[in-house]
Amino acid sequence: MTNRTKNSIYSLILIALVAAVWFFRNNDKDEESQEAYIFIAGDAQGTTYNINYLDPKKRNLKNDIDSILHQFDLSLSTYVSNSEIAEFNENDSLTYKSEFFYPVLKKSEEIYKASEGAFDPTVYPLIEAWGFGPKTVDFPDSSKIEDIKQYVGFDLIEFDEKQVIKTKDKVSLDFNAIAQGYSIDVVYDYLKSKGIENMMIELGGELRVAGKNEKGDLWAIGIDDPKQEQNQSSKRVAIIKLENEAISTSGNYRKFFVHEGKKYGHSINPKTGYPIQRDIISATVVAPSCMEADAWSTAFMVTGLEKAKTILKKQKHLKAFFIYEDENGDLKQFSTENLSQNLITE
């Protein structure tokens, strides 16, 4: 959905997992007692995907999955000029053509309300203004940001199961902080419909699993050190084991620009109109669906630590692991109690 090679993503995912996939595939195992997992990989949404699954019928489902992801882009990608979302952004309404648009709108509304506006897909005009969209722009001045903010707010759209309508001109949608997770859920549901019970689906760093890995263990996912240099080998600060769950990590520490000596991260606060300056620098969320994990990891980057803790007390189905800076600039960690059994910190 996003084009990560062009500095254009809204939710940067930094989960180290490809090495783990190859670990599971290449370590010695008892060939007589364990069936071989099928591994497929490809390009999608401006990034890559890796899928590992056990199929007793030994089917390679890559072509079907590529087709699903292509149709998904035609619905929700702002980088596809003839997509449904591009059509809506250019017009005053949209009658859905695909099965994807309404579910992501519905879940966006739910999380928008639960996060008190921290998650808001109408933030797209601000993303473009700050240069994190498809176009290169100049640094915006405060008057421009204030002007754009009048077109930002999920309450400025109305929708039902058939269409979505703008109540104010220039309102635009960007699902990049939720749609990539949703696409993983769609692929997950497809594999489930094929009778597959053990799988790992990773796309752009976001991930959802079912069952066990090739060694018969829970899928274990590493969380990157946010202070690690990009050209250094992977260094993990934690490992999270997943039980039929999805995981997403958002952070601003590798996707930013510097203007007049000040660093600006790519996550935008919909209320202020400016890139966030919060204590959380890495937000990992584990949820039943990847759509939820994706959106909430972005929302918590906007809310900051204390507000996130308050929300998590209400959203008990979520698990979270945050890396944040204290008042002295030292790195600290926070995790929800319901994650402790499956969390290993290093």
Side-chain angles (χ1 to χ4, degrees):
M1 190 62 51
T2 61
N3 189 333
R4 297 173 185 270
T5 62
K6 295 182 179 179
N7 269 352
S8 57
I9 65 171
Y10 176 52
S11 178
L12 177 62
I13 309 304
L14 292 160
I15 300 174
L17 66 98
V18 175
V21 172
W22 285 106
F23 175 83
F24 294 136
R25 284 179 52 79
N26 295 323
N27 271 265
D28 293 337
K29 56 184 179 290
D30 184 344
E31 296 291 348
E32 294 182 358
S33 63
Q34 293 181 316
E35 296 182 81
Y37 276 50
I38 295 170
F39 178 72
I40 61 176
D43 297 321
Q45 303 176 6
T47 181
T48 60
Y49 72 80
N50 298 274
I51 302 175
N52 212 20
Y53 62 92
L54 176 62
D55 181 12
K57 297 181 180 179
K58 296 179 170 54
R59 293 167 292 184
N60 187 317
L61 300 170
K62 177 175 167 55
N63 289 340
D64 288 355
I65 290 170
D66 284 341
S67 178
I68 291 169
L69 292 173
H70 176 66
Q71 292 302 315
F72 198 89
D73 272 357
L74 290 176
S75 176
L76 300 178
S77 174
T78 55
Y79 291 88
V80 176
S81 61
N82 62 338
S83 67
E84 287 184 88
I85 193 169
E87 179 181 336
F88 173 76
N89 288 346
E90 291 295 324
N91 297 283
D92 58 6
S93 65
L94 172 73
T95 299
Y96 314 135
K97 301 173 184 176
S98 75
E99 61 185 297
F100 304 125
F101 213 99
Y102 175 71
V104 79
L105 265 178
K106 188 67 176 174
K107 183 58 69 174
S108 292
E109 179 184 47
E110 175 187 316
I111 298 176
Y112 168 77
K113 291 178 178 178
S115 68
E116 300 179 12
F119 176 81
D120 188 346
T122 66
V123 76
Y124 189 50
L126 290 169
I127 291 173
E128 287 194 306
W130 285 101
F132 293 115
K135 301 175 183 178
T136 301
V137 299
D138 294 328
F139 189 86
D141 58 32
S142 59
S143 61
K144 181 177 181 178
I145 297 302
E146 287 303 311
D147 180 62
I148 292 173
K149 281 170 58 180
Q150 66 181 302
Y151 307 113
V152 175
F154 201 79
D155 56 345
L156 298 178
I157 63 171
E158 298 175 351
F159 69 95
D160 57 24
E161 295 183 9
K162 296 182 179 179
Q163 65 177 347
V164 55
I165 300 170
K166 300 176 184 179
T167 62
K168 183 180 285 190
D169 191 26
K170 297 184 182 180
V171 174
S172 300
L173 289 169
D174 179 1
F175 292 131
N176 286 339
I178 190 171
Q180 188 161 274
Y182 180 35
S183 70
I184 292 173
D185 294 333
V186 170
V187 173
Y188 177 94
D189 290 341
Y190 165 75
L191 291 175
K192 277 285 189 177
S193 74
K194 294 296 182 180
I196 293 170
E197 299 296 331
N198 298 281
M199 71 181 93
M200 187 241 21
I201 305 166
E202 178 271 331
L203 197 160
E206 301 185 45
L207 182 146
R208 186 172 177 180
V209 307
K212 303 291 180 66
N213 62 37
E214 198 166 359
K215 295 178 69 66
D217 299 325
L218 293 177
W219 298 95
I221 310 305
I223 308 301
D224 282 351
D225 180 353
K227 291 297 187 180
Q228 174 185 323
E229 297 295 330
Q230 279 187 287
N231 58 356
Q232 291 180 341
S233 59
S234 181
K235 179 183 177 183
R236 298 179 180 88
V237 297
I239 294 173
I240 296 175
K241 295 182 178 180
L242 302 178
E243 300 185 61
N244 300 313
E245 297 167 307
I247 189 169
S248 174
T249 299
S250 290
N252 279 323
Y253 42 91
R254 289 184 185 168
K255 215 61 164 181
F256 58 86
F257 68 88
V258 177
H259 178 75
E260 295 182 351
K262 186 176 181 179
K263 183 185 293 187
Y264 294 84
H266 72 275
S267 295
I268 309 297
N269 186 330
K271 297 179 181 180
T272 67
Y274 285 81
I276 58 172
Q277 303 291 329
R278 295 292 194 185
D279 44 10
I280 296 177
I281 60 175
S282 174
T284 297
V285 174
V286 176
S289 72
C290 205
M291 178 158 57
E292 290 178 285
D294 189 3
W296 276 112
S297 64
T298 298
F300 290 140
M301 290 295 301
V302 175
T303 65
L305 181 62
E306 294 308 315
K307 185 65 176 179
K309 289 180 180 179
T310 300
I311 291 172
L312 285 164
K313 290 178 181 178
K314 299 177 181 179
Q315 302 295 321
K316 298 184 183 299
H317 66 296
L318 301 177
K319 303 174 184 178
F321 175 76
F322 301 143
I323 301 172
Y324 65 97
E325 289 184 337
D326 65 14
E327 61 276 9
N328 298 318
D330 296 325
L331 289 189
K332 303 291 184 179
Q333 297 178 0
F334 165 85
S335 62
T336 52
E337 186 176 347
N338 58 2
L339 185 62
S340 60
Q341 185 175 349
N342 290 338
L343 173 66
I344 304 169
T345 55
E346 299 182 353

